[in-house]
Amino acid sequence: MISHEQQEVLIASLISYFNKIEPLDKKKEELVFDLFKPRFYRKKQYVLQQGDICNQFNFVVSGCLRMYKSDENADLHILQFATENWWMIDLGSFQHQSISELNIEAIEDSMLLQINYANLEKLYQAAPKFNLIFRLLIENSFVSLQKRLLQNISSSAESRYLGFINAYPHLVNRLPQVQIAAFLGISAEFLSRIRNKLSKSKS
């Protein structure tokens, strides 16, 4: 059970995040405190499972999440990682309150702040400024997704890995190699060969 004092500390991290985008007054900070709820997930615990409706917009206070889909061969295709101060959501399922085809899983013990669909609507109505904030979040996410899709169809596996290193330097040594490979759309063995090649070229 999270105490009121602990919740205040957690919410402070989110308010700090929002203030970097659009400064909030006291009333809007209180709305954030009232409408966002903390929840702790153990490593390997699902935040969302395929077949359920995505009911939460998730802000990562600590830990790491992955969003992925399992195909008919049980191969994993990772769409996104999220660590501290990042967001994760199946936007289509959330917006339309429809069944999700994706899974969101904690790959480390993770503390999240979550807002559900109804409370997000309340937030928009009570403080229209949050319409702008969340629009910017979604737009930035869309731009990142476009860049990744373009890279996947126009770049070699080695270039994709170098792009991953440049974009997510803090994840390179934090994630298992098999997770990075699934994100890049290659096998763990092929990624190992790429890493060995790059290591030798630096020697």
Side-chain angles (χ1 to χ4, degrees):
M1 185 70 178
I2 297 171
S3 69
H4 183 83
E5 291 74 19
Q6 289 172 319
Q7 185 172 350
E8 285 185 331
V9 172
L10 295 171
I11 293 293
S13 67
L14 179 56
I15 288 173
S16 175
Y17 177 92
F18 284 143
N19 279 332
K20 291 174 184 177
I21 303 173
E22 283 286 325
L24 306 181
D25 58 29
K26 189 66 176 177
K27 182 180 178 181
K28 294 181 180 63
E29 289 183 1
E30 290 173 355
L31 281 169
V32 173
F33 187 87
D34 289 341
L35 297 176
F36 280 85
K37 306 301 178 186
R39 183 165 175 187
F40 179 74
Y41 289 86
R42 294 284 183 191
K43 182 179 179 180
K44 296 187 178 180
Q45 187 176 354
Y46 284 105
V47 180
L48 170 70
Q49 278 190 280
Q50 182 178 348
D52 293 338
I53 294 173
C54 183
N55 286 315
Q56 305 292 343
F57 213 126
N58 303 289
F59 177 77
V60 182
V61 179
S62 63
C64 185
L65 307 178
R66 65 173 181 174
M67 182 160 60
Y68 70 92
K69 181 174 176 60
S70 243
D71 64 22
E72 59 274 11
N73 298 317
D75 292 327
L76 299 186
H77 304 277
I78 297 177
L79 281 71
Q80 183 185 351
F81 296 109
T83 56
E84 291 78 10
N85 294 321
W86 289 9
W87 298 83
M88 184 167 278
I89 185 175
D90 177 349
L91 186 59
S93 174
F94 184 85
Q95 288 289 90
H96 302 294
Q97 290 295 279
S98 58
I99 298 298
S100 177
E101 297 182 13
L102 302 171
N103 301 282
I104 298 176
E105 180 187 10
I107 55 177
E108 299 174 354
D109 287 352
S110 300
M111 177 60 73
L112 309 183
L113 288 169
Q114 301 177 317
I115 187 167
N116 64 31
Y117 184 87
N119 281 341
L120 186 59
E121 289 299 313
K122 286 181 186 178
L123 188 66
Y124 289 161
Q125 292 169 14
K129 175 179 283 193
F130 284 101
N131 275 290
L132 171 62
I133 290 173
F134 277 86
R135 192 195 79 198
L136 290 172
L137 292 176
I138 291 167
E139 286 176 351
N140 289 338
S141 178
F142 183 72
V143 169
S144 295
L145 179 61
Q146 280 188 318
K147 287 180 178 178
R148 186 178 169 213
L149 287 173
L150 183 60
Q151 189 177 50
N152 282 352
I153 63 176
S154 63
S155 302
S156 67
E158 183 175 321
S159 294
R160 295 202 300 276
Y161 177 61
L162 290 172
F164 179 86
I165 293 173
N166 289 330
Y168 311 108
H170 62 294
L171 290 180
V172 175
N173 296 317
R174 188 168 174 178
L175 296 172
Q177 185 166 292
V178 66
Q179 302 264 3
I180 298 174
F183 180 81
L184 297 174
I186 59 178
S187 69
E189 292 76 16
F190 190 42
L191 177 57
S192 181
R193 290 199 294 271
I194 291 172
R195 295 177 74 166
N196 287 337
K197 176 185 174 184
L198 292 173
S199 178
K200 289 177 181 177
S201 68
K202 293 177 182 178
S203 301

